[in-house]
Amino acid sequence: MSETATQAPPATAAATDDVLLDVRDLKVHFDTEAGTFRAVDGVSFSVKRGKTLGIVGESGCGKSVTSSGIMRLVPMPPGRFAGGEVMFDGRDLLKLSEKEMRGMRGGRIGMIFQEPMTALNPVYRIGDQIIESLRVHSGLGRAAARRRAIELLDLVRLPSPEKRVDDFPHQLSGGQRQRVMIALALANDPELLIADEPTTALDVTIQAQILELMRDLSARTGAAIVLITHDLGVVAETCDDVVVMYAGRVVERAPVAALFAAPQHPYTIGLMAAVPRLDIQSDRLETIPGSVPPPYAKIDGCRFASRCPVATDQCRAELPPLRELAPGHSVACWRAPLEDVA
Amino acid sequence: MIGQIANRLILSVPVLFGVLLLGFLLLQLVPGDPAVVIAGPAAPPEVLDAIRQEMGLDQPVMVQFWNYLARVASGDMGRSLISNKTVLSELGGAIIPTVELMVACLFWSIPLGIGMGTVAAVKRGSIADRIVMALSVGGVSLPIFFICLLAIQFLGVYWPIFPFIGRGGPVWTYDGFMHIVLPAVSLGLIFIGPVARMTRSSVLEVLKLDHVRTARAKGLSERAVILRHALRNALIPVVTLVGLQAGYLLGGAIVTETIFSWPGIGRLAVGAILSSDFPVAQGTILVLALAFIVINLIVDVLYALLDPRVQG
Ligand SMILES: Nc1ncnc2c1ncn2[C@@H]1O[C@H](COP(=O)(O)OP(=O)(O)OP(=O)(O)O)[C@@H](O)[C@H]1O
Ligand code: SF4
Ligand SMILES: [Mg+2]
């Protein structure tokens, strides 16, 4: 089957100690009435300890399914792991028992979601929601857990934390709630923080503050971050490495500097053109015409072919594998490197 | 919260007034002449006239109503035309059995309905879910009197396990407990269906919400996620439903009490209306209206306890 064409060996084939999370050929499919929907179809990337990895891509490309797949929070059914491994600190999360996995969630892996307005339970005090997580994972007593919750709220710079700890979520603004979510995610000193569009729902000024806070805290605690966003500007400022996803697959993977200096995949180039930036010439693809192929369509070739300005017959017939062009810089495109194309 | 309760109480004054007026007018339509009830069918017309005059029954209806209100306000609800006991003492004797029946009914039906609805939601599409849904549809579509008759037929007559006439004493005595089982079960059955269905759909709604995903992402067990983070939130609409069904419950209680000869307000009301005992009938209407208001107050308080966004 050409669809399962192997992607390039993980960037960490020589699995070194500094790799915390190594996602290998992850496939999350949904069995729906209309057929099998391959929301995530062979995604590979790795995150080094203490580093920040950005995942970018258009709405619906499978970013959230990837991140909730890592946490094993995809509703099953209709979801299903159709293959792959999620190696976290040397162990495959997909093989853990449910109980072991619960120890990971909120313990060694924290998660922040896009919607701060609804991510907290409206009927419990924010302090109690943090305390609950502390007590599940560290068995702290109530009083100690409460002290720690106040400490955490202070850490995320919520004003007068010893008072706000008893507030209900509706008494806080969106930015404040996202700070509480960060406190919650960091409660048990996770080694990995997965943030799924943590700032998308916030005002621009608040966005910058929250990103700044996340950067600062990860530097302080040494937590690695997977930052999901569709904002390349955020990636440029925040991340060490980037994964670009399109229609459930990784199309390009690179250190942030390399990606912005020399994007190789036509889709990445299109994305950059869509973001007005001074330091990138935008005389190639202003916008990306066309739209993502329908999810159930059976596509043998490159999924971007219908929108790609430089597609060839080979592109439409065969799925391009992820190839490493330069150290750490991989691209899934038959025509890369593109220097000679333009 | 206090302000809210005060608000509710102030709003209930016109409601109470309206219910009393309506009840008063409806009772005028009931065939039967209080004077005849008092003096007996053979009494000569002069005697009846004298009684009517003494009771103010010759006055226009609105004047009668006004006089009645004035007396009620001063704590005098009159005397029963039948037993000649004060209405207050008649009502007083009937309130405890009715409250007992309601509490006994809600005590088992609400938790069971919530439990059934939760199981159905969590195991959606399973056999358990289908059984719960089928039972609750059955419970809704059977009329209460029919449920009562079935209960009597099977658990009272066919297998004579439980007595089905009257009250055996306070509920904590053996006799009292045995007597309350059938009426409380019958009355509760009409409640389980709606509560189970509402809980099921509410839990299913809440399970889709973001904060449930957060709870899972914290590493909570599925049990904790459902009980603490889904059910607790899902109960808010269930409480609303129970409040809305208060009238239904009171109506059901009237039927149930009558069928089981349960000496409560409902049976008192039916008996008084059938025997043209207007002061008692009017008194039971007042009590039922008050009960409605009290139930809704309790719902308000529960609502505020369950949902912190309501306060403030
Ligand atoms: N429970 C589900 N059942 C069926 N399809 C699903 C389910 N969850 C997600 N999907 C599908 O998987 C695809 C990928 O969704 P995902 O949420 O990962 O996109 P995303 O990249 O996070 O987009 P966005 O930027 O809008 O958050 C979507 O097309 C979505 O419809
Ligand atoms: S493989 Fe072909 S169609 Fe796909 S991005 Fe590259 S050039 Fe375009
Ligand atoms: Mg998403």
Side-chain angles (χ1 to χ4, degrees), chain A residues 265-266 302 304-305 308 310-311 315 320 333-335:
Chain A
H265 196 281
C302 173
F304 189 58
C308 180
V310 293
C315 299
C333 173
W334 290 120
R335 306 202 55 186

Side-chain angles (χ1 to χ4, degrees), chain A residues 199-211 231 234 237:
Chain A
T199 60
T200 309
L202 303 174
D203 290 346
V204 183
T205 46
I206 312 282
Q207 279 188 20
Q209 292 171 17
I210 294 288
L211 285 172
D231 186 340
V234 168
E237 279 173 48

Side-chain angles (χ1 to χ4, degrees), chain A residues 30 32 37 39 57-66 75 78 114 197 230:
Chain A
F30 291 98
T32 65
F37 178 15
E58 277 167 299
S59 187
C61 70
K63 304 183 297 289
S64 296
V65 173
T66 302
Q114 175 171 348
E197 310 207 28
H230 51 242

